[in-house]
Structure formats: structure tokens, C-alpha cells
Amino acid sequence: MEVSPAPCTCSNRQNCAGKSRKRLRVLCLHGFRTSAAVLREQLAKWDSPMVNDLLELNFLDAPFPCRGKSDVDGKFPPPFYEWFQYNVAYTEYVGMDECIQYITKYMYEHGPFDGLLGFSQGAVLSAALAGLQQKGLALSEHPSLRFVIIISGVMLENPQMKENCYSENIRCPSVHLIGSRDWLKPRNEQLLQVFQDPVIIRHGARHTVPKLDDEAIAIFYNFLIKFDSGEHHTSTTYAHGCENEGISKEDCLAEIEVLT
């Protein structure tokens, strides 16, 4: 199946002009049955001069139109998209190969990108692509990812995909945002273990892109500034306890089960 990449958009375009530093280009992958526009709005709560000064966020719609009910329908405007279909055990996938080809083609044509940012199913892909690239199984013609930002990501459970993606520690520097009330928290922690020296930001919300308080922003900034200044990633692991639990219901996604 051939798919045409949707156009990407850079957030905070008004901040692009007049910057003396070259911002880090990040490709952002949205959650299951949402859209690039939804993730852009979710990430707007991260509005901070420190973050905006370092990142150029680019957003991409998934290749497949939503093939079922979206949990954000009525909260955000359609259309909605999905990266791939999966069974409840997360061991079987429909459209995975096409999805990886689609993202790869986009990155070759519109990159290079310094890093990937993903939420939920987008985070699954961001982590998997880092592991696949490390082993020469994906993104072979794209420069090595400098970092990934994982918001509520989990591991693929298909045995062959687990071997391809996670059989060795992923050395790509990473930030993991994990919610104490996220129904996927145990699986978030499982994915965390396959990364070498991850940075962890913990928050009190559910399955969502959380608000970041000043302390979390500082941790995030200190992680990113190393790439801006050309320094190498250190082995320090941070943990952050966020007490801001005032996340709106509209920002939270319920557990999703789809057809096999």
C-alpha cells in the first residue's frame, strides 16, 4: 500500500525568526486514533521559553485513517489517524511495515531530524525506531537519532519485533515521561529498562501528555541543552515527582482495544 506523507508543521513559527542558535529538529508522532493537530495542542501546555528556544517541533499524521471510534472524538476535531492496528495482547499488527516505511520516507525527504517525540502509540514507534536504527534495520540512510522523547510508551510484544528492537540496550539518549495513574505504567517501566541511562520525569496524571512544572522543565532543558552545545549525553538518571494532577479529562485517553 502506498501512502503519501501529510505535510508537517513547525510549532511556534513566530519563534523561528531571529534565533541565533539552530534549534533541534524533532519529528512528533501522535497517539492512536488522534492526529498531528491533537498532539500539537497537547504539547502546547509545554509552552516555555527554555523549551521553545531549543526545539523545532514537526508534526506528522499517521498513514491510515481512523478505522474505529476515537476516544478524543468530541474533544478534538477530526479527522483522526492511526499508525497501525494491533490485537489486545499487542503481539499482532496490521500495517506495521507500511507504517515504518511511511515514517522512514518522510524522514529521508524532510529531514534530517535530531530526534523523535512520541505519545502512546507514537512513543511505541519512537522507541522501536531507535532500537531498529541501532541494529541497522531501519533509518539506515538517516543520521543516527540523537535522542528520543517517550511519553507513555510500551514495548512491542511480537517475538520477532522484540528481538529486532530490544534485544540489546538502546543507547540512544532518552527522556521518559511516566504517569503514576497511567493504566500503562507497568509497561512504561518495562520499556524504560531497555534504554541505557534513561532520563525519567514522573508525573501524577493518567495516560496523557502532562503539564510540566518548573522542575520538570529544568530537567528537560538540561537534557536537551547537551545536544545544542554539542556535549555528550551523561549517564545521570533523573526522577521527578510531579504533584500537578489537575489534568483535564479531555487530555486523557482511556484504554483502547481494537479488532484483531
Side-chain angles (χ1 to χ4, degrees), residues 1-205:
M1 173 181 178
E2 294 185 1
V3 290
S4 299
C8 81
T9 55
C10 170
S11 69
N12 299 307
R13 282 190 183 273
Q14 67 274 19
N15 292 330
C16 291
K19 292 293 183 186
S20 59
R21 65 158 51 97
K22 184 177 180 180
R23 297 193 295 168
L24 299 164
R25 300 192 72 229
V26 179
L27 181 60
C28 302
L29 308 180
H30 61 79
F32 181 68
R33 292 182 178 171
T34 66
S35 68
V38 171
L39 182 58
R40 187 185 304 110
E41 186 169 341
Q42 290 172 318
L43 287 172
K45 67 185 72 171
W46 287 11
D47 188 24
S48 161
M50 287 198 301
V51 173
N52 293 338
D53 191 34
L54 287 179
L55 296 181
E56 175 196 315
L57 301 181
N58 299 264
F59 297 84
L60 178 66
D61 283 320
F64 304 113
C66 179
R67 287 175 278 186
K69 178 176 172 54
S70 169
D71 276 19
V72 301
D73 192 14
K75 303 165 188 174
F76 294 95
F80 304 120
Y81 303 91
E82 56 192 53
W83 297 102
F84 57 89
Q85 286 258 331
Y86 57 93
N87 64 351
V88 176
Y90 223 52
T91 56
E92 299 178 10
Y93 318 108
V94 176
M96 176 66 79
D97 290 343
E98 295 93 332
C99 171
I100 291 177
Q101 292 169 9
Y102 170 81
I103 296 172
T104 299
K105 182 174 185 288
Y106 187 85
M107 292 180 71
Y108 288 165
E109 293 180 350
H110 299 272
F113 293 94
D114 294 290
L116 296 173
L117 178 153
F119 168 60
S120 195
Q121 194 177 66
V124 173
L125 288 166
S126 297
L129 284 167
L132 290 170
Q133 187 185 46
Q134 180 174 298
K135 298 179 74 173
L137 300 176
L139 299 178
S140 58
E141 297 179 19
H142 187 279
S144 295
L145 293 168
R146 301 178 71 191
F147 59 86
V148 290
I149 301 167
I150 307 298
I151 310 169
S152 190
V154 304
M155 296 174 65
L156 297 165
E157 296 297 335
N158 174 274
Q160 186 59 59
M161 290 299 294
K162 289 185 78 169
E163 171 66 24
N164 291 345
C165 299
Y166 322 115
S167 61
E168 58 185 49
N169 278 358
I170 299 174
R171 297 184 294 276
C172 181
S174 60
V175 178
H176 300 253
L177 285 80
I178 299 177
S180 62
R181 296 185 291 157
D182 189 343
W183 62 275
L184 284 174
K185 182 178 182 294
R187 295 178 66 188
N188 297 165
E189 303 282 0
Q190 182 185 27
L191 177 63
L192 182 70
Q193 301 306 311
V194 304
F195 278 85
Q196 182 173 300
D197 303 320
V199 171
I200 311 164
I201 296 177
R202 300 190 183 276
H203 59 88

